Structures are given as C-alpha cells and as structure tokens.
Amino acid sequence: DSGVTQTPKHLITATGQRVTLRCSPRSGDLSVYWYQQSLDQGLQFLIQYYNGEERAKGNILERFSAQQFPDLHSELNLSSLELGDSALYFCASSVDGSADTQYFGPGTRLTVL
Amino acid sequence: ILNVEQSPQSLHVQEGDSTNFTCSFPSSNFYALHWYRWETAKSPEALFVMTLNGDEKKKGRISATLNTKEGYSYLYIKGSQPEDSATYLCAFIGGSNYKLTFGKGTLLTVNP
C-alpha cells in the first residue's frame, strides 16, 4: 500500500458523459501527478500539480482538466467521453515534485461504452 | 517527442538465473531516470531514482547502473525468484520540467 488513494476503483459510463476521478496523496506529499494507461500504450503522463499549482503538462486532451485543492487532494475531470478514453488512470504523489520518487495509487479503471 | 526504449520487450528465465535489461534514453538534457516494478493487477512501485552519471543503486538482489553520456541504464536481478515476475519500467526526465516519459517496459517471467 503506497498511501495514495484513488476513487472510484471502477467506473463505467457512456460516450458523451463527464466523470470525475479523485486522488488523495500520501501524507506530506505536495505534488500530484496523473497518468493514463491505454491497452496499446505505455503510461502516458497527463499533468502534474505542486501545492495547488499546475507544474507540468503532458499530452492531456482539452476535454480533460484537473486541479489540486488546498487540502492537496486532486481531481481529474474527463468530459465528452469517447470510447478511446477507456483506460486505467493512475494518480501518483511525491514529496517535492521534482525528480523525486513517485508513489502510485491503485488506479481507476474507466470504461466508456 | 522523447524516445525511451526498453529491451528486451519480454524475458523468460529460470529461478536462480541472473538477468539484466536495458533502458535507452536521450543523452542530452538529462535530469533523472526512474525505475519502477509493476506487478499484474497492482500499481507501479518505485525501485530507484538515478540522477548522476555513473550512479549505481542496489536494493536487495536488484541493482541498476546509469550512463548519462551514452544514454542508457541497466537493471540487474541476481538469482531471480518467481516473485520477481513483473514488468520493469524505466522513466526519463529531461530538463527541469519534471515530466516523466516512460518506456513500454520489460516483462520478466521467472519460472520455478
């Protein structure tokens, strides 16, 4: 158990819908990262927050957005969902958001039907 | 687009064998390299963070080396055990933007 929690564990929804994935970092970690893993791709970095501010952005679609709240938990919002958005979404956290060790949560499995 | 390559893609060894695999990354603008171990149905677990050329890190039977000038890192497992079966991922950070670019991993299967 890494200490990073993600909810929900599984999510099944329809195309065109909007969902919110939630992540709570390890106690003391200030930085949160979001990753997507699709069947045919490796782990793809989406976005990073540090202490409430966006720090780095990867290949995140415009239909996706994220934020980190004052209590340091983070939410990833996915809207206008398409079949291709079906994937495993991981959240990770680290202490200072530099190149330090990232601790991964258990992931949220999103299925878009 | 950053290219992080891992080889081999998969590997089958017998219990007790020692093994190693490679991660190749751009040699310019190096900032850090991470190694993760990912067991099926679990989440990636950090093994090493490497930042200096010539770095060698060790954790039990697993060790890693880093050559930033030529752009590669090796992960070694000594005396493989069935519980070592997992996908081993490397991830590269170039520059100071802190974005991890992952390789596709090496899937290791250790047969008892």
Side-chain angles (χ1 to χ4, degrees), chain A residues 35 98-102 104, chain B residues 2-7 21-37 45-58 63-76 88-105:
Chain A
Y35 295 91
S98 61
D100 57 336
T101 300
Q102 294 184 23
F104 281 75
Chain B
L2 291 174
N3 225 15
V4 179
E5 304 283 345
Q6 289 190 248
S7 61
F21 13 97
T22 307
C23 172
S24 302
F25 50 84
S27 55
S28 60
N29 220 19
F30 176 86
Y31 191 83
L33 188 87
H34 291 213
W35 279 100
Y36 290 86
R37 173 191 146 86
E45 176 195 340
L47 287 173
F48 305 114
V49 176
M50 309 182 82
T51 54
L52 297 174
N53 185 43
D55 237 356
E56 284 190 38
K57 299 236 172 168
K58 191 172 176 179
S63 60
T65 60
L66 179 67
N67 183 324
T68 61
K69 295 190 188 310
E70 294 181 43
Y72 64 84
S73 175
Y74 293 137
L75 190 81
Y76 299 92
Y88 290 83
L89 293 170
C90 70
F92 167 79
I93 301 178
S96 55
N97 60 23
Y98 309 132
K99 293 195 287 188
L100 255 70
T101 300
F102 280 86
K104 289 197 163 65

